[in-house]
mmCIF file of all heavy atoms in Angstrom:
data_model
loop_
_atom_site.group_PDB
_atom_site.id
_atom_site.type_symbol
_atom_site.label_atom_id
_atom_site.label_comp_id
_atom_site.label_asym_id
_atom_site.label_seq_id
_atom_site.Cartn_x
_atom_site.Cartn_y
_atom_site.Cartn_z
ATOM 1 N N ASN A 317 23.834 -24.391 -10.266
ATOM 2 C CA ASN A 317 23.974 -24.020 -8.853
ATOM 3 C C ASN A 317 25.226 -24.600 -8.201
ATOM 4 O O ASN A 317 25.334 -24.634 -6.969
ATOM 5 C CB ASN A 317 22.739 -24.453 -8.049
ATOM 6 C CG ASN A 317 21.448 -23.994 -8.684
ATOM 7 O OD1 ASN A 317 21.298 -22.826 -8.995
ATOM 8 N ND2 ASN A 317 20.521 -24.912 -8.880
ATOM 9 N N GLY A 318 26.173 -25.084 -9.011
ATOM 10 C CA GLY A 318 27.402 -25.642 -8.473
ATOM 11 C C GLY A 318 27.332 -27.117 -8.154
ATOM 12 O O GLY A 318 28.326 -27.699 -7.686
ATOM 13 N N TYR A 319 26.183 -27.766 -8.393
ATOM 14 C CA TYR A 319 26.051 -29.208 -8.168
ATOM 15 C C TYR A 319 26.575 -29.969 -9.390
ATOM 16 O O TYR A 319 26.172 -29.695 -10.524
ATOM 17 C CB TYR A 319 24.592 -29.601 -7.945
ATOM 18 C CG TYR A 319 24.036 -29.229 -6.592
ATOM 19 C CD1 TYR A 319 22.964 -28.351 -6.479
ATOM 20 C CD2 TYR A 319 24.566 -29.778 -5.427
ATOM 21 C CE1 TYR A 319 22.439 -28.017 -5.241
ATOM 22 C CE2 TYR A 319 24.043 -29.442 -4.185
ATOM 23 C CZ TYR A 319 22.985 -28.569 -4.098
ATOM 24 O OH TYR A 319 22.472 -28.240 -2.870
ATOM 25 N N ALA A 320 27.437 -30.933 -9.158
ATOM 26 C CA ALA A 320 27.957 -31.751 -10.251
ATOM 27 C C ALA A 320 26.818 -32.551 -10.876
ATOM 28 O O ALA A 320 25.905 -33.027 -10.184
ATOM 29 C CB ALA A 320 29.037 -32.693 -9.735
ATOM 30 N N ASP A 321 26.854 -32.692 -12.199
ATOM 31 C CA ASP A 321 25.886 -33.494 -12.953
ATOM 32 C C ASP A 321 24.470 -32.923 -12.911
ATOM 33 O O ASP A 321 23.503 -33.635 -13.206
ATOM 34 C CB ASP A 321 25.866 -34.948 -12.460
ATOM 35 C CG ASP A 321 27.229 -35.615 -12.567
ATOM 36 O OD1 ASP A 321 27.922 -35.354 -13.569
ATOM 37 O OD2 ASP A 321 27.597 -36.380 -11.650
ATOM 38 N N SER A 322 24.332 -31.663 -12.527
ATOM 39 C CA SER A 322 23.035 -30.990 -12.599
ATOM 40 C C SER A 322 23.071 -30.081 -13.820
ATOM 41 O O SER A 322 23.703 -29.016 -13.800
ATOM 42 C CB SER A 322 22.790 -30.176 -11.324
ATOM 43 O OG SER A 322 21.490 -29.614 -11.330
ATOM 44 N N ASN A 323 22.420 -30.519 -14.904
ATOM 45 C CA ASN A 323 22.567 -29.851 -16.194
ATOM 46 C C ASN A 323 21.208 -29.534 -16.803
ATOM 47 O O ASN A 323 20.188 -30.125 -16.428
ATOM 48 C CB ASN A 323 23.356 -30.737 -17.160
ATOM 49 C CG ASN A 323 24.641 -31.267 -16.538
ATOM 50 O OD1 ASN A 323 25.400 -30.521 -15.923
ATOM 51 N ND2 ASN A 323 24.880 -32.562 -16.693
ATOM 52 N N SER A 324 21.194 -28.621 -17.766
ATOM 53 C CA SER A 324 19.952 -28.318 -18.483
ATOM 54 C C SER A 324 20.245 -27.934 -19.929
ATOM 55 O O SER A 324 21.312 -27.405 -20.252
ATOM 56 C CB SER A 324 19.182 -27.184 -17.790
ATOM 57 O OG SER A 324 19.773 -25.924 -18.044
ATOM 58 N N ASP A 325 19.263 -28.221 -20.782
ATOM 59 C CA ASP A 325 19.290 -27.822 -22.193
ATOM 60 C C ASP A 325 17.949 -27.186 -22.522
ATOM 61 O O ASP A 325 16.895 -27.652 -22.081
ATOM 62 C CB ASP A 325 19.519 -29.031 -23.099
ATOM 63 C CG ASP A 325 20.926 -29.591 -22.986
ATOM 64 O OD1 ASP A 325 21.806 -29.095 -23.702
ATOM 65 O OD2 ASP A 325 21.125 -30.513 -22.168
ATOM 66 N N GLN A 326 17.994 -26.137 -23.347
ATOM 67 C CA GLN A 326 16.759 -25.428 -23.701
ATOM 68 C C GLN A 326 16.830 -24.945 -25.141
ATOM 69 O O GLN A 326 17.856 -24.418 -25.584
ATOM 70 C CB GLN A 326 16.556 -24.242 -22.751
ATOM 71 C CG GLN A 326 15.325 -23.395 -23.044
ATOM 72 C CD GLN A 326 15.106 -22.355 -21.971
ATOM 73 O OE1 GLN A 326 14.868 -22.669 -20.801
ATOM 74 N NE2 GLN A 326 15.210 -21.085 -22.342
ATOM 75 N N ILE A 327 15.743 -25.098 -25.874
ATOM 76 C CA ILE A 327 15.648 -24.614 -27.244
ATOM 77 C C ILE A 327 14.319 -23.886 -27.405
ATOM 78 O O ILE A 327 13.280 -24.378 -26.963
ATOM 79 C CB ILE A 327 15.773 -25.777 -28.266
ATOM 80 C CG1 ILE A 327 15.789 -25.238 -29.692
ATOM 81 C CG2 ILE A 327 14.708 -26.822 -28.055
ATOM 82 C CD1 ILE A 327 17.096 -24.649 -30.123
ATOM 83 N N VAL A 328 14.355 -22.697 -27.994
ATOM 84 C CA VAL A 328 13.160 -21.864 -28.127
ATOM 85 C C VAL A 328 13.105 -21.261 -29.523
ATOM 86 O O VAL A 328 14.113 -20.728 -30.022
ATOM 87 C CB VAL A 328 13.131 -20.732 -27.079
ATOM 88 C CG1 VAL A 328 11.895 -19.859 -27.267
ATOM 89 C CG2 VAL A 328 13.164 -21.296 -25.669
#
Side-chain angles (χ1 to χ4, degrees):
N317 309 309
Y319 285 118
D321 302 321
S322 185
N323 311 313
S324 76
D325 290 273
Q326 178 173 297
I327 185 78
V328 178

